[in-house]
Amino acid sequence: MNYRRKIIAGNWKMHKTASESKTLVQDILTELKDWNDGDVVLCVPFTSLAIAGSILESQTIVELGAQNLHQAPQGAFTGEISAGMLRDLFVRYVIIGHSERRQYFRETNALINQKIKTAITSTLKPIVCYGETLQEREGNQWRSVLETQIKEGLANFTEAEMETVTLAYEPVWAIGTSKTASPAQAQEAHAFSRSILNQLFGKTVAEKTRIQYGGSVKPDNAQELLQQEDIDGALVGGASLEARSFATLVKKGCQPLS
Ligand code: 13P
């Protein structure tokens, strides 16, 4: 076991209205009463941040996250949301560079790099997603794809800036497909990612940075995945939309295999 504290985040994507979110946040808090064996983050839609923030602000078990932000501090960017707007609603984390944003909204590594910079300067903790497609996995190109995404996404940051960054390895072929990477496949990609961090920032950052796995993580596979040496948590889509299933996943994921 390594000493990194586990971090499990729910990515609700475009699910749940504000009133549905209120119920789900309350139910998750009830299920996770007195929980303290790992960090838990809920990345809810923008329209649910205010209600979720008002519930979460008075406790320390679950923290609030957003799913995206704009890189500029403010300005004429119709429909966009700034880091300051998120901070004001008790948001602590923000997902950046999710494969759905890369694929459907044409986000590039350079843009993702700017967004990470904005998050860090605004004291939001970025959860930086990266991962290969099925074609890239089958063509045995996954190492070079991950290396480029990590190097370009994290270009020009200092060791100090890396302190609040969490990475999330999400193989695109495992997202929403029920095809999970095997624990050995995921571990191999995580260890490789950590070696890139070592090249970029040195040993201390490489050993401290938490790397989540994402892609069809469920209550029944969380423990084996999160038991791997270089897997420090999970970024969970579908299984985070139901309180009991998410809480079970959190508890199992943070429990050593006996
Ligand atoms: P699923 O857990 O639904 O596969 O989604 C993973 C994901 O994209 C989390 O960001």
Side-chain angles (χ1 to χ4, degrees):
M1 277 294 277
N2 63 58
Y3 58 86
R4 293 179 293 272
R5 185 172 162 86
K6 297 275 193 248
I7 174 165
I8 301 192
N11 175 9
W12 291 6
K13 307 193 179 183
M14 198 172 73
H15 294 286
K16 306 292 172 187
T17 63
S19 44
E20 288 165 350
S21 298
K22 180 180 179 194
T23 310
L24 183 52
V25 170
Q26 284 167 336
D27 289 350
I28 288 173
L29 281 182
T30 307
E31 293 283 342
L32 288 176
K33 192 172 176 298
D34 301 327
W35 176 256
N36 187 27
D37 291 344
D39 294 339
V40 182
V41 184
L42 297 180
C43 300
V44 308
F46 287 136
T47 46
S48 299
L49 287 170
I51 185 76
S54 72
I55 300 169
L56 296 175
E57 107 191 72
S58 59
Q59 55 78 61
T60 56
I61 296 170
V62 173
E63 292 179 278
L64 185 59
Q67 300 171 15
N68 183 26
L69 87 178
H70 191 274
Q71 64 275 20
Q74 65 206 19
F77 299 105
T78 302
E80 292 292 323
I81 303 285
S82 75
M85 293 169 184
L86 299 178
R87 284 290 311 172
D88 192 51
L89 294 176
F90 301 98
V91 174
R92 295 288 177 263
Y93 287 84
V94 59
I95 296 174
I96 296 177
H98 193 280
S99 64
E100 288 149 17
R101 303 244 19 122
R102 293 176 188 259
Q103 188 181 347
Y104 305 130
F105 302 94
R106 304 264 178 276
E107 292 201 3
T108 60
N109 292 329
L111 175 66
I112 289 162
N113 178 265
Q114 286 178 34
K115 289 188 175 196
I116 300 169
K117 183 84 181 173
T118 300
I120 295 171
T121 0
S122 317
T123 68
L124 286 169
K125 300 175 188 172
I127 297 178
V128 180
C129 302
Y130 63 101
E132 81 284 359
T133 62
L134 184 59
Q135 203 183 13
E136 291 161 346
R137 164 70 52 179
E138 287 176 345
N140 206 21
Q141 296 158 314
W142 63 269
R143 284 187 186 79
S144 66
V145 171
L146 301 193
E147 181 169 352
T148 305
Q149 288 178 342
I150 296 173
K151 286 192 171 165
E152 294 184 3
L154 299 179
N156 302 318
F157 293 131
T158 62
E159 260 186 63
E161 285 175 317
M162 283 301 293
E163 255 167 44
T164 60
V165 174
T166 297
L167 296 189
Y169 168 62
E170 297 204 308
V172 179
W173 49 272
I175 296 177
T177 57
S178 298
K179 273 193 209 155
T180 322
S182 70
Q185 265 177 331
Q187 164 59 25
E188 188 184 24
H190 280 234
F192 176 76
S193 305
R194 210 176 289 290
S195 77
I196 304 296
L197 288 177
N198 192 22
Q199 273 180 36
L200 291 175
F201 304 105
K203 197 164 172 234
T204 311
V205 169
E207 281 180 2
K208 270 201 203 160
T209 304
R210 295 186 290 185
I211 309 178
Q212 296 175 312
Y213 170 79
S216 300
V217 182
K218 307 283 177 219
D220 60 3
N221 62 18
Q223 192 178 15
E224 208 187 341
L225 282 162
L226 272 67
Q227 196 57 31
Q228 304 298 313
E229 179 61 26
D230 289 289
I231 303 187
D232 308 311
L235 184 55
V236 186
S240 70
L241 293 171
E242 200 276 311
R244 178 66 56 87
S245 132
F246 184 62
T248 307
L249 190 161
V250 167
K251 289 174 189 168
K252 286 196 172 175
C254 295
Q255 198 177 64
L257 280 174
S258 49

